[in-house]
Amino acid sequence: AFPSGLTLAATFDVDMATAWGSSMGKEFFDKGANVILGPGMNVARVPVNGRNFEYMSGEDPYLGATLVGPVIEAIQSNKILANAKHFVNNNQETNRMDQSAN
């Protein structure tokens, strides 16, 4: 099992992030996938957001900006598309079941 994006970001280690991305890319390639839905990059602004563990930024946009690029490059070095997710606005919990984009 792989650690979450937030767990990885807590290391502040670009080399570790690169190794993580490369390992993820290889595993997805080996199983025949074409795309990884990640890494998650949203800045954690709402502490009760149930997806904060996915985001590499945590509460620090500079940290996310530092780590996400190397992760994406490492994933894509394995011929897998990295679909960076939730750049912004995936943290509303108030009335989230009542909101609509329509």
Side-chain angles (χ1 to χ4, degrees):
F2 288 98
S4 70
L6 186 58
T7 302
L8 175 69
T11 69
F12 292 82
D13 188 336
V14 174
D15 293 332
M16 176 95 53
T18 301
W20 182 79
S22 183
S23 296
M24 292 275 282
K26 181 182 181 324
E27 181 164 314
F28 273 65
F29 181 82
D30 289 347
K31 72 178 186 176
N34 296 314
V35 64
I36 292 177
L37 298 177
M41 344 181 344
N42 199 44
V43 176
R45 293 178 183 91
V46 179
V48 296
N49 181 358
R51 301 186 98 176
N52 281 340
F53 72 95
E54 294 180 16
Y55 306 135
M56 296 191 73
S57 295
E59 296 177 354
D60 183 357
Y62 181 78
L63 175 62
T66 301
L67 296 179
V68 166
V71 168
I72 290 172
E73 289 176 4
I75 290 170
Q76 294 187 161
S77 72
N78 290 280
K79 301 180 182 172
I80 298 292
L81 179 64
N83 179 20
K85 294 175 47 172
H86 311 304
F87 180 67
V88 69
N89 291 337
N90 192 48
N91 55 6
Q92 177 175 329
E93 292 293 320
T94 304
N95 299 321
R96 75 178 185 140
M97 301 308 259
D98 298 328
Q99 301 299 315
S100 174
N102 297 336

